[in-house]
Amino acid sequence: MEKNLVIVESPAKAKTISKYLDNTYIVRASMGHVSDLPKNDLGIDVENNFQPTYEISKEKVKLVNELKREAKDATKIWIATDEDREGEAIAWHIMNSLKIKKDEYERIAFHEITKDAILKAIKNPRKINLDLVDAQQARRVIDRLVGYKLSPMLWRKVQKGLSAGRVQSVAVRILVEREEEIRAFKSAEYWKIKGAVQNTQQRKFSVLLEKIGKKKVEFQSEEDVKKALDKALGSVDYVPIKSEKSQKDYLNLNCVFSGKKELIVSSLTKKTVKKSPAPPFTTSTLQQEAHRKFGFPVASTMSLAQQLYEGIDLDGGRVGLITYMRTDSVNLAEESLVQMKEFIGKQFGEKYTVSSARKYKNQSKGAQEAHEAIRPVNISVIPDQLKDQLNPSQLKLYTLIWKRTIATQMQEAILENTEVKLELVNNRDYIFAASGQIIKFDGFMKLYIEDSDDEEEEEESLLPSMNEGDVLDLLSLNALQNFTKPPARYTEASLVKKLESEGIGRPSTYAPTISTIVNRGYVEKEKKHLIPTDLAFVVNKFLCEYFSDIVDYKFTAKMEESFDEVAEGKQKWVEIVQKFYGPFAERLDDTSKTAKKYAEETEQICPECKNKLVIRMSRYGKFLSCSGFPNCKYTAKIEGQAATGEQTPKEPDVETGEICPTCNKPLVTKSGRFGKFIACSDYPQCKYTKKTINVVKEAGCPKCKGNIVEKKTRKGKLFFGCANYPKCDFAVWKKEDLDDEENKPAV
């Protein structure tokens, strides 16, 4: 009997594909790459055209031997790895590791895991595309050269254990430069005057003072505001009012005026505009939107998308729900466009369908036109049908992809934008403005609206009906204090957007890049923002000074273009590596000789040898060290180091009134790396410390009337629990839940 061996990357993919093939096919998973460059050696012969040495990793030896035995008995071997450069490289490594001859295998690829797609691929096999393999190899070799040659330089010149990377170091630079902008930013005060207006039908809306005469208002102080309003309204009293949520740290004044004040509508402009739906998802836009809407980390989005692509066990069997998730193309297959038109007509009505399919132009220079955007495999599989079969995160991502895809083929939304100018009746120089939006036809917005990166974006209000010459009542005026804000820190979504706009990296690199810079201590996450650490500043400064091209945006983007040209057969991979490595090797040699080990000078004096102290780096952050090292090995902590890396005065120890049980000296409250703690005042001679307990509610436990104290889980998450644990297990996540009579144990 004929025996066909199909080799894919993952067990999940193998399980789904097996469903669509008959019993003459055996599907096996390679578990990703079966061979790679050695872990503990460069593995590249720089003297011999940069030839790489690939080896089968220890954990893959058994698997490779099993695949060899299967391949030996097979009539034909089908290599069905993913349809991208990485997938092509995996296919090439499988062929070489299993010693498969050219006439013994067929290469098949498909954009979706469906029966039709797989059978079509089997009818149209090809051989491995060596240009794609070479493009991946060029990237792998250059990244290995940068990592293995530049990282040891950082070890010697900054601190041990550091790493550098062709894409990761540029990502760190982007974050550091934004943080430097934030630190250099000087906030400026400004004021807005906001009014509440009512029309003749008792409908209220808000207006802003826009101009006085022909000059746009620019109030820079409370005094400016009072001067302008006193002139316009006569005698005005100013009463501080409770701030709006968005203005909680600022001063708000209620401007109380006497007598009736009116505004006249001086102009009214209505403009009908059409709004088109966003393109279907590429890898990067899916990562961005999933982060905006759900807060998903980029790596989590890719993991969920992989699951949806490779197949989910549903009631009707195992099904791949979306097309391939690593793509920079916005093309949609013709058959999917036909299916969507029919679905939209039935589901929403013919007025929501487009007369001819809407097609989008690829923005990415290297986008492969033959590939597709990320879309549902079958539009008729609606999210509601999967509520009990997908986990919540899978369902959210599938729903997002499903809605976005269908929206691309729905009619444009028709909006009416209204802008109105109003003048103060008793002083026509004072001009107020308001704007609003009316949805005349919702179109695609009936199903999907794209989120924005702009955290301060304000929604336009719905304005009541009015005409030029209408006189409206001015009900109230508020003067709102504001301050200009620095640029926002990057989130994972906005960093991906920045990397893509600069042409840095490719869709498959964004998730591992972000994970790497976080895991290696260059970046910390604060809520959804990415904040560079002191280490990031130090390493970025070193790389910018000595290896400026490695962290140069244009250089990195141009390198990506070179890889694209290799994939297209326009360049040889060895030529790309040679052109890069020559200058790089020279700089490595020069830097090794000329660059000094990182140290920031201070004015402090070493207490042991009287040399100046300097600030150096360690894996735990900055510390003080003697400039006479290694002759003098004095070191000290930088007490109270701020997030910016600047030194702040050490907080003084405060006596608690208690006595140390070890040496009878007073106990004091000290400040350390992890906050305040109680210790013996005779430290370091006596190392006694006392665990502090923060009581948040005395006798507050509803179970045993014990004290409620702050606690933390093993992962550091704060919660509030009974001090009598383990006798009493009462706990809640939120402090406000302590006042809830029906609260129950949460942990």
Side-chain angles (χ1 to χ4, degrees):
M1 186 178 74
E2 183 181 2
K3 180 181 177 183
N4 292 278
L5 174 64
V6 182
I7 303 175
V8 298
E9 302 99 314
S10 74
K13 189 175 179 181
K15 188 177 179 181
T16 307
I17 290 174
S18 296
K19 173 187 170 185
Y20 301 121
L21 299 173
D22 61 39
N23 59 8
T24 64
Y25 289 86
I26 298 172
V27 187
R28 296 288 183 260
S30 70
M31 311 301 289
H33 280 279
V34 294
S35 63
D36 198 0
L37 297 172
K39 287 184 177 180
N40 300 316
D41 186 43
L42 179 63
I44 298 167
D45 189 349
V46 296
E47 303 297 331
N48 184 27
N49 286 330
F50 304 96
Q51 288 305 304
T53 300
Y54 296 110
E55 61 181 34
I56 299 171
S57 56
K58 291 181 181 179
E59 61 270 19
K60 291 290 182 74
V61 171
K62 183 179 178 181
L63 173 63
V64 168
N65 288 335
E66 290 174 354
L67 291 174
K68 278 183 179 178
R69 286 193 293 271
E70 299 254 24
K72 190 176 181 181
D73 296 336
T75 308
K76 183 171 287 189
I77 300 163
W78 305 83
I79 303 178
T81 51
D82 289 338
E83 191 180 13
D84 58 12
R85 294 174 199 173
E86 200 70 25
E88 208 71 13
I90 291 173
W92 184 73
H93 284 294
I94 289 172
M95 187 185 77
N96 288 322
S97 299
L98 272 56
K99 302 189 184 308
I100 300 171
K101 295 178 182 178
K102 191 174 182 178
D103 59 351
E104 294 176 336
Y105 83 93
E106 297 290 357
R107 169 80 168 107
I108 57 173
F110 30 81
H111 192 66
E112 60 186 51
I113 304 180
T114 61
K115 185 174 183 178
D116 287 346
I118 293 165
L119 295 181
K120 183 178 179 181
I122 289 174
K123 289 180 181 178
N124 298 278
R126 60 175 173 84
K127 295 302 178 182
I128 290 171
N129 185 329
L130 293 179
D131 288 335
L132 297 181
V133 175
D134 285 348
Q136 189 274 348
Q137 186 161 254
R139 177 191 295 277
R140 187 75 181 95
V141 168
I142 287 178
D143 287 350
R144 172 57 68 102
L145 290 170
V146 172
Y148 270 59
K149 295 287 187 178
L150 190 50
S151 295
M153 179 71 69
L154 292 176
W155 285 41
R156 294 193 297 272
K157 301 299 182 180
V158 182
Q159 82 168 62
K160 288 184 178 180
L162 295 179
S163 68
R166 187 180 57 83
V167 176
Q168 78 170 57
S169 295
V170 181
V172 170
R173 179 182 179 180
I174 290 170
L175 296 175
V176 167
E177 289 180 342
R178 175 57 58 86
E179 197 68 20
E180 287 173 340
E181 286 182 63
I182 293 170
R183 293 179 186 178
F185 183 82
K186 302 296 182 184
S187 184
E189 180 182 5
Y190 70 98
W191 288 70
K192 291 181 179 179
I193 296 177
K194 186 176 182 180
V197 180
Q198 180 174 276
N199 73 351
T200 53
Q201 286 79 41
Q202 311 297 306
R203 288 281 307 279
K204 298 176 183 178
F205 63 98
S206 296
V207 295
L208 280 174
L209 181 60
E210 183 180 65
K211 290 182 178 180
I212 299 178
K214 294 183 179 180
K215 188 177 180 181
K216 189 174 180 180
V217 296
E218 293 180 353
F219 300 127
Q220 297 177 346
S221 68
E222 183 180 346
E223 188 178 321
D224 289 347
V225 170
K226 291 180 177 179
K227 185 178 178 180
L229 291 182
D230 287 345
K231 184 177 180 181
L233 303 173
S235 179
V236 181
D237 291 327
Y238 299 94
V239 181
I241 59 174
K242 188 175 180 180
S243 303
E244 297 176 13
K245 187 176 180 181
S246 61
Q247 303 286 332
K248 59 184 177 181
D249 296 326
Y250 306 148
L251 178 63
N252 288 358
L253 298 176
N254 183 14
C255 311
V256 182
F257 48 84
S258 59
K260 185 177 182 179
K261 303 298 178 186
E262 295 175 322
L263 297 175
I264 184 170
V265 178
S266 58
S267 71
L268 187 68
T269 305
K270 292 184 179 181
K271 185 178 180 182
T272 300
V273 296
K274 292 183 178 180
K275 185 180 176 77
S276 298
F281 281 128
T282 62
T283 302
S284 69
T285 54
L286 176 63
Q287 290 169 352
Q288 292 170 54
E289 190 73 342
H291 188 273
R292 295 188 198 110
K293 285 190 182 295
F294 313 129
F296 287 173
V298 169
S300 297
T301 297
M302 294 311 294
S303 176
L304 291 167
Q306 183 101 21
Q307 295 163 23
L308 296 175
Y309 165 69
E310 291 186 339
I312 301 290
D313 290 316
L314 305 179
D315 291 342
R318 191 170 180 83
V319 177
L321 291 173
I322 65 169
T323 55
Y324 191 51
M325 67 288 160
R326 291 189 180 91
T327 177
D328 48 13
S329 172
V330 291
N331 292 329
L332 292 170
E334 290 297 329
E335 57 267 27
S336 72
L337 295 173
V338 172
Q339 187 185 23
M340 279 188 276
K341 183 178 175 65
E342 184 179 345
F343 178 87
I344 293 167
K346 288 181 179 178
Q347 191 75 18
F348 302 104
E350 287 301 320
K351 66 179 180 179
Y352 285 93
T353 64
V354 290
S355 55
S356 59
R358 183 181 289 111
K359 297 184 179 182
Y360 295 84
K361 185 177 180 181
N362 287 312
Q363 299 299 312
S364 174
K365 290 182 180 179
Q368 299 184 55
E369 299 291 337
H371 290 183
E372 268 199 88
I374 303 169
R375 63 168 175 83
V377 166
N378 185 352
I379 292 297
S380 63
V381 180
I382 62 176
D384 282 348
Q385 297 171 348
L386 305 175
K387 281 183 177 179
D388 298 327
Q389 301 180 72
L390 300 181
N391 67 43
S393 295
Q394 290 172 337
L395 182 62
K396 283 181 179 179
L397 196 67
Y398 179 75
T399 303
L400 183 67
I401 294 167
W402 186 85
K403 286 186 174 182
R404 172 89 162 220
T405 306
I406 295 176
T408 67
Q409 300 307 309
M410 294 177 73
Q411 276 288 359
E412 298 169 318
I414 301 175
L415 311 172
E416 184 180 82
N417 291 337
T418 303
E419 289 188 9
V420 59
K421 305 293 182 185
L422 308 101
E423 298 173 1
L424 197 61
V425 170
N426 65 323
N427 193 332
R428 301 289 289 266
D429 283 341
Y430 282 71
I431 303 169
F432 291 79
S435 62
Q437 192 176 74
I438 297 174
I439 299 175
K440 306 291 282 186
F441 174 63
D442 52 7
F444 74 92
M445 293 174 68
K446 186 179 186 69
L447 183 65
Y448 178 83
I449 300 176
E450 186 179 32
D451 275 12
S452 168
D453 282 319
D454 187 354
E455 298 174 11
E456 301 294 323
E457 189 173 39
E458 296 182 2
E459 294 185 6
E460 290 187 300
S461 60
L462 187 64
L463 295 178
S465 176
M466 65 188 94
N467 299 298
E468 286 188 23
D470 284 355
V471 177
L472 314 179
D473 291 332
L474 178 61
L475 303 178
S476 64
L477 280 177
N478 286 339
L480 311 175
Q481 183 188 37
N482 291 268
F483 292 90
T484 55
K485 295 181 179 180
R489 287 189 172 106
Y490 283 102
T491 63
E492 289 196 19
S494 56
L495 179 59
V496 166
K497 187 175 182 180
K498 174 69 173 177
L499 290 169
E500 185 179 40
S501 68
E502 295 288 348
I504 298 166
R506 281 296 181 261
S508 60
T509 66
Y510 299 141
T513 294
I514 292 173
S515 297
T516 297
I517 62 178
V518 171
N519 294 338
R520 293 182 177 172
Y522 292 120
V523 175
E524 291 178 345
K525 287 186 178 181
E526 186 176 285
K527 294 182 180 177
K528 63 179 181 178
H529 292 110
L530 301 172
I531 304 175
T533 61
D534 285 342
L535 187 60
F537 280 86
V538 172
V539 171
N540 182 66
K541 183 179 179 182
F542 179 86
L543 293 177
C544 286
E545 183 174 352
Y546 296 103
F547 296 91
S548 56
D549 58 346
I550 295 296
V551 289
D552 180 75
Y553 298 176
K554 291 182 179 179
F555 174 85
T556 310
K558 193 171 181 181
M559 185 67 71
E560 295 294 345
E561 292 176 7
S562 297
F563 297 151
D564 292 342
E565 290 181 355
V566 173
E568 294 164 7
K570 297 177 181 177
Q571 280 205 63
K572 300 296 182 183
W573 77 269
V574 173
E575 294 172 1
I576 300 294
V577 180
Q578 284 175 334
K579 187 176 179 181
F580 162 78
Y581 188 70
F584 177 60
E586 288 181 12
R587 276 195 307 284
L588 282 170
D589 188 51
D590 291 342
T591 304
S592 181
K593 296 173 184 176
T594 60
K596 295 181 179 180
K597 187 171 176 63
Y598 166 77
E600 293 179 34
E601 292 186 2
T602 74
E603 296 302 317
Q604 299 181 57
I605 302 299
C606 175
E608 294 184 2
C609 71
K610 307 306 178 186
N611 281 319
K612 282 189 174 182
L613 294 179
V614 295
I615 299 173
R616 300 188 191 277
M617 289 297 303
S618 77
R619 59 182 295 189
Y620 302 108
K622 292 184 176 181
F623 68 98
L624 287 171
S625 170
C626 183
S627 59
F629 180 85
N631 296 325
C632 177
K633 294 184 171 60
Y634 174 82
T635 61
K637 292 182 179 179
I638 300 176
E639 300 289 352
Q641 184 171 302
T644 61
E646 298 173 351
Q647 295 177 60
T648 57
K650 178 186 174 183
E651 291 188 36
D653 296 342
V654 179
E655 290 193 12
T656 64
E658 300 175 86
I659 299 299
C660 174
T662 303
C663 68
N664 294 323
K665 296 283 180 68
L667 291 180
V668 294
T669 301
K670 290 178 170 286
S671 295
R673 285 177 61 211
F674 304 104
K676 293 184 177 182
F677 64 99
I678 294 175
C680 182
S681 57
D682 198 28
Y683 179 86
Q685 280 69 32
C686 176
K687 294 184 170 59
Y688 172 82
T689 60
K690 178 183 177 182
K691 187 176 181 181
T692 58
I693 298 176
N694 185 13
V695 178
V696 295
K697 191 171 185 180
E698 293 185 3
C701 178
K703 282 190 170 184
C704 70
K705 299 303 178 184
N707 291 338
I708 299 296
V709 298
E710 285 187 359
K711 295 187 176 187
K712 286 187 177 180
T713 66
R714 289 182 179 179
K715 293 186 177 181
K717 185 175 180 180
L718 181 70
F719 68 98
F720 305 91
C722 183
N724 293 328
Y725 180 84
K727 291 182 180 180
C728 178
D729 63 357
F730 173 78
V732 293
W733 289 117
K734 298 178 181 179
K735 188 184 288 188
E736 52 264 35
D737 290 343
L738 295 173
D739 298 321
D740 185 352
E741 294 180 359
E742 297 182 1
N743 52 27
K744 298 177 181 180
V747 291

